[in-house]
């Protein structure tokens, strides 16, 4: 038994009035013999009787009078509402395929939304074959060589992988940066003042502290915000192509130079050029960079013409440029040319007050991405896990926190991310070795102590399954009254 399942299209009705076959009529008159034709319709019901009667007459003339035709009324929110279309199509496809050896689905009639749903549902049914017609009345079998389930899973997995591997985006004005801590508020205040000027800037700080985010914010807050912002990691530039990438080249100036090329200075003309990890630049390139800063001029590789440019430079590094100047691995004159507006970005361990809000933002981004993956669900982070993040050292700073949250969300099978989930996902845990000349406390001393105490209380209560006497004993307290006081002090008694 063969059944044709189709949506009713406006064109089918209009062509009927001209006594001409549109898609449905073409298929049942010239296509394979169908035992049954099921037409789904949600509108134009005053024309259904005429259309059905016309089809029956055409079938009789074609010697196919045994084909039965049924127009089924279906309820749709709108002809482009995917949810209601899907519900109708699932029900009708299940009904016709249960009794039929072969179901043909017409992809020509109906709205694009109806076609999309028909393809997605039909691909999952082994009895279904897709057919469509051309404006010239040609009938085509449709082969869609795609396994949507596999491709969807692969695409979602790739998206999550990309999300984990890249840094979180935080473009725009300074208001987009979390700054509850005093040290971060002071840093932003300096950056705002620097943005209003047109001076070169030097951003110092450990890897992962958000130097490019700050550079972008400075650009957005400056008078150059309508002009380009270009960024480059100097440490990733191939040594033999540094000149070409920064200053451009002329066609034929070296093997592979098949056309003229504008360097980053020309691309950023009028705007801002962010040179990340500037301490990695070779000395010979530092000389040319100094000239570009002093003279506002550059010369392309293989060219003799000097070009005037108007670019603001924001440089950044995690290296000790003072020591590099002493070691003569970084030019002193370039250093002082760049170090006009110097901002040192605090590491994450010095801005512990910001961590809970940063986590809230990151988890929202992670959950948004997780929604596209069929095997994962939205997650939230427990109090004990947050206290762990506040007290942890985070040598990789914001970048490490971002990737840790992604790993925890990826591997945990629970909706709530626990402290244990975070600990497993934190690669740096247990591997932090503080140098003798360095001592770090995340936040001020009292806050550091409070965070440790909160963390211990939560862990003890978890261990004791809420039994305060047992929790107090595990903490070394003489009675649970002290524990009660601590729970109230740190708002943990709820």
């Amino acid at each position: 038994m063969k059944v044709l399942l189709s949506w009713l299209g406006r064109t089918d009705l209009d062509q009927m009035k001209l006594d001409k076959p549109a898609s449905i009529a073409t298929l049942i008159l010239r296509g394979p013999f169908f035992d049954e034709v099921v037409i789904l319709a949600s509108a134009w019901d005053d024309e259904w009787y005429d259309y059905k009667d016309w089809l029956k007459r055409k079938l009789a003339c074609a010697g196919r009078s045994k084909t039965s035709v049924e127009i089924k009324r279906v309820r749709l929110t709108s002809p482009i509402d995917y949810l209601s279309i899907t519900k109708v199509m699932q029900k009708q496809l299940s009904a016709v395929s249960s009794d039929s050896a072969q179901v043909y689905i017409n992809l020509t009639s109906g709205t694009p939304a109806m076609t999309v749903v028909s393809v997605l549902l039909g691909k999952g049914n082994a009895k279904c074959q897709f057919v469509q017609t051309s404006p010239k009345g040609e009938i085509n079998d449709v082969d869609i060589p795609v396994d949507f389930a596999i491709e969807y899973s692969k695409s979602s997995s790739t998206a999550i992988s990309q999300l984990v591997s890249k840094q979180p985006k935080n473009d725009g004005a300074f208001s987009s940066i979390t700054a509850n801590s005093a040290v971060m508020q002071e840093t932003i205040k300096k950056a705002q003042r620097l943005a209003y000027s047109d001076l070169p800037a030097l951003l110092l700080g450990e890897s992962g502290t958000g130097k490019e985010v700050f550079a972008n914010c400075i650009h957005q807050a400056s008078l150059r915000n309508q002009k380009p912002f270009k960024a480059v990691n100097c440490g990733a530039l191939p040594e033999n192509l540094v000149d070409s990438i920064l200053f451009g080249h002329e066609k034929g100036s070296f093997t592979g130079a098949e056309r003229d090329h504008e360097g980053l200075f020309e691309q950023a003309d009028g705007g801002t050029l962010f040179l990340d990890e500037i301490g990695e630049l070779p000395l010979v390139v530092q000389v040319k960079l100094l000239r570009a800063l002093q003279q506002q001029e550059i010369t392309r590789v293989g060219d003799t013409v000097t070009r005037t440019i108007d670019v603001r430079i924001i440089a950044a590094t995690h290296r000790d440029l003072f020591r590099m100047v002493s070691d003569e691995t970084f030019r002193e004159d370039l250093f002082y040319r760049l170090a006009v507006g110097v901002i040192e970005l605090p590491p994450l361990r010095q801005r512990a007050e910001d961590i809970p809000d940063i986590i809230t933002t990151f988890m929202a981004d992670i959950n948004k991405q997780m929604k596209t993956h069929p095997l994962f669900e939205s997650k939230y982070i427990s109090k004990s896990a947050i206290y762990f993040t506040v007290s942890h050292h985070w040598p990789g700073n914001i970048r490490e926190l971002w990737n840790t949250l992604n790993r925890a969300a990826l591997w945990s099978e629970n909706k709530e991310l626990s402290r244990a989930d975070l600990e497993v996902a934190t690669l740096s845990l247990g591997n932090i070795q503080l140098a003798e000349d360095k001592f770090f406390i995340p936040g001020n001393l009292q806050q550091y102590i409070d965070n440790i105490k909160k963390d211990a209380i939560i862990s003890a209560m978890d261990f004791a399954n809420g039994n305060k006497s047992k929790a107090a004993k595990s903490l070394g307290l003489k009675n649970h009254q002290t524990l009660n006081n601590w729970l109230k002090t740190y708002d943990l008694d709820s």
Side-chain angles (χ1 to χ4, degrees):
M1 183 176 179
K2 295 181 180 179
V3 176
L4 175 67
L5 181 62
S6 176
W7 292 93
L8 179 64
R10 183 66 252 178
T11 304
D12 293 298
L13 298 175
D14 290 341
Q15 289 297 96
M16 179 246 334
K17 295 174 182 177
L18 301 174
D19 199 31
K20 294 181 179 180
S23 182
I24 295 175
T26 298
L27 287 170
I28 65 176
L29 295 175
R30 296 174 51 196
F33 178 83
F34 297 109
D35 297 287
E36 184 179 1
V37 177
V38 178
I39 302 171
L40 308 178
S42 62
W44 315 305
D45 48 343
D46 57 329
E47 301 177 62
W48 293 358
Y49 178 83
D50 290 340
Y51 184 66
K52 182 178 179 179
D53 184 63
W54 179 77
L55 286 178
K56 294 294 289 184
R57 284 188 280 109
K58 289 294 182 181
L59 284 166
C61 291
R64 299 189 174 192
S65 57
K66 291 184 178 181
T67 299
S68 67
V69 178
E70 179 182 13
I71 299 180
K72 284 192 173 184
R73 180 187 300 278
V74 296
R75 296 185 180 278
L76 299 178
T77 304
S78 85
I80 59 173
D81 180 68
Y82 284 87
L83 180 59
S84 58
I85 292 171
T86 299
K87 289 180 178 179
V88 167
M89 195 62 181
Q90 284 175 328
K91 180 179 179 181
Q92 298 301 326
L93 190 57
S94 175
V96 297
S97 63
S98 61
D99 300 323
S100 307
Q102 188 69 39
V103 178
Y104 291 79
I105 300 179
N106 178 19
L107 300 181
T108 304
S109 297
T111 64
M114 294 171 179
T115 301
V116 169
V117 171
S118 296
V119 169
L120 291 174
L121 295 181
K123 279 290 291 183
N125 191 318
K127 292 184 177 182
C128 289
Q129 170 66 46
F130 301 114
V131 290
Q132 63 185 13
T133 60
S134 70
K136 294 181 180 180
E138 300 167 333
I139 298 175
N140 299 308
D141 289 334
V142 182
D143 180 28
I144 304 176
V146 178
D147 188 322
F148 290 111
I150 293 176
E151 293 303 319
Y152 180 73
S153 181
K154 284 167 58 179
S155 176
S156 299
S157 297
T158 299
I160 288 180
S161 175
Q162 292 173 343
L163 183 70
V164 172
S165 63
K166 68 185 180 181
Q167 284 197 71
K169 292 184 177 179
N170 196 356
D171 299 341
F174 290 101
S175 59
S176 65
I177 299 177
T178 302
N180 299 320
S181 61
V183 65
M184 203 60 178
Q185 291 172 5
E186 184 62 26
T187 303
I188 288 179
K189 188 182 298 183
K190 290 180 179 179
Q192 287 174 326
R193 291 178 64 86
L194 183 59
Y196 302 147
S197 72
D198 207 23
L199 298 171
L202 179 61
L203 306 181
L204 304 176
E206 298 174 6
S207 294
T209 50
K211 294 187 284 293
E212 184 170 348
V213 171
F214 259 79
N216 207 331
C217 288
I218 291 172
H219 170 74
Q220 294 298 331
S222 73
L223 297 176
R224 295 175 178 265
N225 59 10
Q226 298 302 313
K227 297 294 183 178
F229 174 85
K230 296 292 181 179
V232 62
N233 185 332
C234 298
L237 295 176
E239 190 167 344
N240 60 329
L241 294 177
V242 173
D243 279 3
S244 171
I245 293 172
L246 291 179
F247 308 112
H249 64 252
E250 289 295 287
K251 179 180 179 181
S253 57
F254 55 86
T255 303
E258 299 177 353
R259 59 182 178 82
D260 292 347
H261 170 68
E262 285 187 351
L264 287 171
F265 272 87
E266 288 184 72
Q267 294 175 38
D269 192 30
T272 302
L273 177 58
F274 175 58
L275 301 174
D276 197 10
E277 297 305 337
I278 194 168
E280 307 296 330
L281 279 180
L283 284 168
V284 64
V285 180
Q286 292 179 30
V287 175
K288 296 182 179 181
L289 178 58
L290 178 62
R291 176 177 175 80
L293 285 170
Q294 290 177 332
Q295 308 296 330
Q296 290 287 288
E297 295 176 346
I298 57 100
T299 303
R300 290 182 180 179
V301 176
D303 197 7
T304 57
V305 177
T306 299
R307 303 169 190 267
T308 302
I309 44 95
D310 173 26
V311 176
R312 181 187 192 176
I313 297 293
I314 300 179
T317 183
H318 74 283
R319 301 183 64 178
D320 186 345
L321 289 186
F322 287 97
R323 180 172 294 178
M324 292 182 68
V325 169
S326 299
D327 296 339
E328 297 184 348
T329 54
F330 196 87
R331 290 183 63 94
E332 183 177 16
D333 46 3
L334 176 58
F335 171 77
Y336 286 110
R337 184 73 188 183
L338 292 170
V340 180
V342 180
I343 296 178
E344 185 161 4
L345 273 62
L348 192 57
R349 60 183 170 272
Q350 291 182 6
R351 44 183 297 219
E353 301 96 320
D354 297 333
I355 291 178
D357 282 352
I358 292 174
I359 288 176
T360 298
T361 301
F362 285 177
M363 288 304 298
D365 291 341
I366 292 168
N367 284 330
K368 183 178 180 181
Q369 181 61 48
M370 288 293 185
K371 286 182 179 179
T372 67
H373 199 289
L375 301 179
F376 295 93
E377 58 182 350
S378 294
K379 309 284 179 73
Y380 64 94
I381 189 165
S382 67
K383 282 187 177 182
S384 61
I386 291 177
Y387 290 138
F388 164 75
T389 63
V390 171
S391 61
H392 186 58
H393 187 74
W394 298 116
N397 294 296
I398 293 177
R399 186 184 295 116
E400 183 188 3
L401 174 61
W402 168 253
N403 287 332
T404 298
L405 291 172
N406 271 279
R407 278 190 295 271
L410 185 64
W411 297 123
S412 176
E413 296 181 357
N414 302 314
K415 292 199 68 172
E416 181 184 77
L417 298 181
S418 66
R419 176 193 173 104
D421 292 327
L422 266 291
E423 288 179 341
V424 169
T426 305
L427 301 182
S428 61
L429 191 64
N431 295 321
I432 301 171
Q433 296 181 349
L434 300 179
E436 291 181 359
D437 59 339
K438 293 183 180 179
F439 178 71
F440 299 106
I441 290 178
N444 59 55
L445 179 59
Q446 186 57 51
Q447 181 190 50
Y448 182 58
I449 294 171
D450 287 344
N451 288 334
I452 293 175
K453 190 180 289 186
K454 287 179 186 177
D455 206 19
I457 294 169
I458 292 172
S459 297
M461 290 294 288
D462 288 343
F463 167 74
N465 293 320
N467 186 310
K468 293 182 181 179
S469 296
K470 185 176 179 181
K473 185 177 181 180
S474 68
L475 290 169
L477 303 177
K478 294 181 179 180
N479 55 66
H480 68 267
Q481 186 56 48
T482 302
L483 178 59
N484 278 332
N485 294 335
W486 286 3
L487 289 170
K488 291 178 181 178
T489 300
Y490 297 113
D491 194 25
L492 300 175
D493 57 347
S494 57

